[in-house]
Amino acid sequence: MNTLANRVITTTVTTVARGGGGRPPATSRRRPLRIWRAAAMSSSSSCSSSFSSSSGGGSGWGEEGERARTRLVVIVGATGTGKTKLSIDAARELRGEVVNADKIQLYEGLDVTTNKVPLADRRGVEHHLLGAVPPEAGALPPSSFRSLGAAKVASIAARGLLPVVAGGSNSLIHALLADLPDDDGAALPEDPFSLDRCYRPALRYPCCLLWVDVEEALLAEYLDRRVDDMVGAGMVEELRDYFAATTAAERAAHAPGLGKAIGVPELGEYLAGRRSFRAAVDDIKANTRRLAAAQVCKIRRMADGWGWPVRRLDASATIRARLAGAGPAAESASWERDVRGPGLAAIRAFLADQTCSHGDDATAIAIAKGVDEPAPLLMRLPRMQCCDMVV
C-alpha cells in the first residue's frame, strides 16, 4: 500500500478511535474455507457464474478468505441518475454503510462543485471515503483505492453490516471488484475500459450490481437543470473563495485530482476574466453530459463485455416527474415503483440465495427477512449472483 493509502487509513482509524466512525470490528471464529475460481459469465446468461475471490485458491484464511465471505451491494450509474439516493435507501433498509467510489468526491473540499451528498441528506447513514483525501495528495492511483476500499468493506462487514459501494467512477469500481492474477495492485490497469475485448475480469467478491439508469435525452435535460441548481446553491461563490484562498502552486498540486472536478476549470476561466459567465456554465453543462454518456458506455462494457451481472433499474419516470414539477409525492411513487422497490427486492433475493445455498450466515438471513437487529456475521461463501444480466 502506498503512502497516500496509509495516510487515508490512518485518518479514518483515528476517527473511529475518537468515536466518529463506527464500532471496532468484532472478532469471530474462523473455519477453513475453500476458494473457487470462476469462469467469466456469458453475456447471454441471466445470472453470473460463481465468483472468484482469489487468484490462486487456498484455504481461505487471511485476506483471501475475508473477500470470499464478504457480500457487496454495488450501485453504479451516470451522474444525476439517483445512485446516491438508492445507496442510502439500501443502507437504511438493510443495515448498511456506504463506501464512496466517485474519484472526485474522494477529495476534501468544494462540496457543492463536487456534488457531495449533504450530511442532512445522508439520513444517518455512515459514509466512508467521502472527502477523505487531502486535495494536495494529487491523483489517487486505482491500486490505492483498491486497498482503501477493501479495508472499508472488510471493516463494515466485520461489524455485521452490509457494505454498499456507490459511485460513478467505473475505473474505481473495477479497481475494487476485479479479480487479478497479481493482487498486489501492480498489475491494475489505469484505464481498464481502454483494453481490448479479450479483457474479461472476474469478480473477487460476491456482489449484487445495480445500475440506476435514465433515458439519454431526459437525463441530458435534467443535468442541464441540475447545473443551474448547483449555481444557485453557491457553486460560483464556493469556487471564487477557492481561487482566492489558494496559490497557483497549490492549485497545480490539486490539478491531478480535485482540480479535475467539472466546474473548476470552466469557472476558473470566468473568474480570471477570460470567459463569460454564460459560456462557462454552458461548458459545464456540455462536459457533464459528456461525462454521463461515457459512464453509461463503461457500465455497458462491464455487463456486455466483461459479463458482470448488472441489473438495470429505470429511474426515467422519477426524473420526468421532477422536470415536470409533478411534486414530491409523484416523484416518490415513481422512485418506489421503479427503483427502490425492485432494487431492495434484488438485494434481498441475492442475500437469501447466498444464505439458502450455504447456510449459517445469520446476518444475511436477518437482512433478507427484514429483521431490524440481525445477529453478527458468520461464515459467507461465494455463490451464484441472482441479479439479472443486462443484454
Side-chain angles (χ1 to χ4, degrees), residues 277-297:
F277 175 72
R278 188 69 265 162
V281 171
D282 286 346
D283 284 349
I284 293 172
K285 291 178 178 179
N287 290 333
T288 303
R289 293 193 300 269
R290 277 193 286 270
L291 170 64
Q295 289 169 321
V296 169
C297 286

Side-chain angles (χ1 to χ4, degrees), residues 18-37:
R18 293 175 179 172
R23 301 183 301 276
T27 57
S28 61
R29 186 178 179 182
R30 292 182 179 174
R31 298 179 305 190
L33 174 67
R34 187 173 184 184
I35 308 299
W36 295 93
R37 183 158 185 76

Side-chain angles (χ1 to χ4, degrees), residues 194-356:
S194 66
L195 301 179
D196 64 39
R197 295 291 172 176
C198 294
Y199 181 68
R200 291 172 58 88
L203 290 164
R204 65 173 182 161
Y205 296 98
C207 56
C208 186
L209 275 155
L210 302 176
W211 170 22
V212 186
D213 192 27
V214 173
E215 296 168 13
E216 183 178 1
L218 192 64
L219 181 59
E221 181 182 355
Y222 172 66
L223 291 176
D224 284 356
R225 182 179 295 187
R226 194 178 72 155
V227 170
D228 291 333
D229 291 343
M230 291 169 66
V231 169
M235 182 181 185
V236 178
E237 291 75 15
E238 179 180 72
L239 285 171
R240 182 178 285 113
D241 291 344
Y242 169 76
F243 280 96
T246 56
T247 66
E250 287 171 330
R251 292 193 294 275
H254 300 173
L258 187 65
K260 288 185 175 180
I262 294 176
V264 174
E266 297 91 344
L267 285 172
E269 289 289 295
Y270 158 68
L271 293 169
R274 293 189 291 267
R275 198 162 184 76
S276 71
F277 175 72
R278 188 69 265 162
V281 171
D282 286 346
D283 284 349
I284 293 172
K285 291 178 178 179
N287 290 333
T288 303
R289 293 193 300 269
R290 277 193 286 270
L291 170 64
Q295 289 169 321
V296 169
C297 286
K298 290 177 180 179
I299 294 167
R300 291 192 181 280
R301 177 78 181 275
M302 289 178 185
D304 299 333
W306 299 350
W308 286 11
V310 180
R311 179 186 178 112
R312 180 178 178 269
L313 302 169
D314 190 351
S316 298
T318 303
I319 297 300
R320 190 175 291 109
R322 187 171 304 166
L323 287 170
E331 286 187 39
S332 295
S334 297
W335 180 258
E336 178 64 34
R337 182 191 66 235
D338 299 334
V339 182
R340 183 182 182 275
L344 293 180
I347 297 168
R348 290 189 189 281
F350 164 70
L351 296 172
D353 180 62
Q354 298 263 312
T355 301
C356 290

